[in-house]
Amino acid sequence: MKFAVITDVHGNFDALEAVLDDIDRKGDVDKIYNLGDNIGVGHETNKVLDYIFDRDDMEIIAGNHDEAVMSLVNDTPYPEDLKDKFFEHHQWIENHLDEDYYDKLNELPRVIEKKFGNKKVLFIHYEIPNEQLSAPIDKQPFSPITEPTEEAMQTLFSDKQADLIVFGHNHTVHLFDDKEKIYFNPGAVGLNNGAHAVYGLVTIEEDVISIDRVKVAYDNEEFLRGFDEKQVPGKSLIFDKFL
């Protein structure tokens, strides 16, 4: 089994297209797992959703930005921890979100669990304590981001049982093997390394797990110009923290 992992596209269509084109060129990838935060921060929401929901080889879970935007769509409580940072930006995303995607976004799971041979793989946007897996986004179910170390990952995911835990959310690459579990975050597709997008490749063969991180060059100028051209709220914060 060989699968790709993409996460944190964040409304950056050009980065997503570059990654998916690279995956398709390989010709030997069985499945793509998309770990959420496809919308928010970037401004190409509908183009991203058009692309990911049109594929039949991709399974998708929800990220915190996806759920926060949908709380506005659904008129349910918005998470307090994002109000000072992203509320106006998420309102802008909501106002530009194609209604055809409401149901699909609302139906995204938070977790995907798979078994390949004897290896159990958990796909999750970031740690959510087991007792919080069904809690609404305003209850802030996602754990605070912790430092990218093996010890921190052991503590963070101590309630999860899997041979490989694949996640996103923290846009920094993680690859740790504590002999009981492997923890892998390839980094953000849409907000990473300037004019480069990143993703992961995982091969499981005869109970051996092999992992690669792939870095793909793309032209990010149109994406950056779009913040001014579309008058996207929150540009200063986004450029300072993410770009």
Side-chain angles (χ1 to χ4, degrees):
M1 178 67 182
K2 185 174 185 177
F3 59 83
V5 179
I6 67 173
T7 186
D8 296 275
V9 175
H10 281 298
N12 186 340
F13 174 77
D14 293 326
L16 173 66
E17 184 178 43
V19 161
L20 292 181
D21 284 352
D22 194 68
I23 292 170
D24 289 341
R25 276 194 296 270
K26 295 184 183 305
D28 62 349
V29 177
D30 302 302
K31 199 81 173 179
I32 302 169
Y33 291 94
N34 180 329
L35 307 188
D37 274 5
N38 287 287
I39 61 179
V41 183
H43 49 81
E44 297 168 327
T45 302
N46 294 317
K47 290 175 71 175
V48 165
L49 296 179
D50 286 345
Y51 220 47
I52 64 173
F53 284 125
D54 192 47
R55 296 188 69 112
D56 58 10
D57 61 349
M58 185 182 294
E59 293 191 41
I60 307 168
I61 60 177
N64 60 305
H65 281 266
D66 307 320
E67 293 195 23
V69 171
M70 292 312 296
S71 74
L72 298 174
V73 171
N74 299 328
D75 196 24
T76 54
Y78 182 86
E80 289 289 335
D81 63 323
L82 295 180
K83 276 189 177 177
D84 291 340
K85 299 176 183 177
F86 287 107
F87 185 68
E88 290 185 3
H89 174 77
H90 283 162
Q91 284 183 315
W92 186 89
I93 296 292
E94 177 207 6
N95 290 335
H96 292 80
L97 177 60
D98 190 327
E99 294 181 6
D100 289 344
Y101 293 118
Y102 287 0
D103 288 343
K104 291 182 178 180
L105 289 166
N106 277 326
E107 292 167 359
L108 292 178
R110 282 180 169 167
V111 172
I112 295 174
E113 295 179 287
K114 297 287 184 180
K115 193 122 182 234
F116 304 111
N118 294 320
K119 297 299 184 182
K120 183 178 179 181
V121 182
L122 173 70
F123 302 93
I124 190 168
H125 184 65
Y126 202 65
E127 163 65 1
I128 302 174
N130 289 340
E131 65 273 13
Q132 290 282 92
L133 281 171
S134 298
I137 190 64
D138 66 291
K139 301 301 182 184
Q140 298 174 211
F142 290 95
S143 295
I145 290 176
T146 188
E147 59 184 332
T149 66
E150 180 178 311
E151 293 77 12
M153 294 302 101
Q154 288 174 325
T155 301
L156 183 68
F157 291 108
S158 61
D159 65 341
K160 299 296 187 289
Q161 300 302 313
D163 298 291
L164 170 63
I165 299 175
V166 194
F167 60 99
H169 189 54
N170 183 347
H171 302 160
T172 302
V173 62
H174 300 58
L175 180 54
F176 304 109
D177 183 351
D178 68 5
K179 298 182 181 177
E180 291 186 3
K181 300 175 185 175
I182 300 174
Y183 310 88
F184 179 47
N185 174 353
V189 169
L191 303 176
N192 210 319
N193 295 298
H196 288 85
V198 297
Y199 70 96
L201 282 174
V202 178
T203 304
I204 301 178
E205 187 174 10
E206 296 182 355
D207 290 339
V208 175
I209 300 174
S210 302
I211 296 175
D212 294 297
R213 180 177 185 256
V214 184
K215 190 173 179 180
V216 182
Y218 78 104
D219 184 352
N220 67 345
E221 289 301 316
E222 183 177 351
F223 176 67
L224 297 177
R225 286 196 306 269
F227 285 89
D228 286 327
E229 292 172 355
K230 299 175 183 179
Q231 298 182 322
V232 180
K235 178 196 169 185
S236 295
L237 172 68
I238 291 167
F239 273 55
D240 181 53
K241 297 295 185 182
F242 300 109
L243 295 173

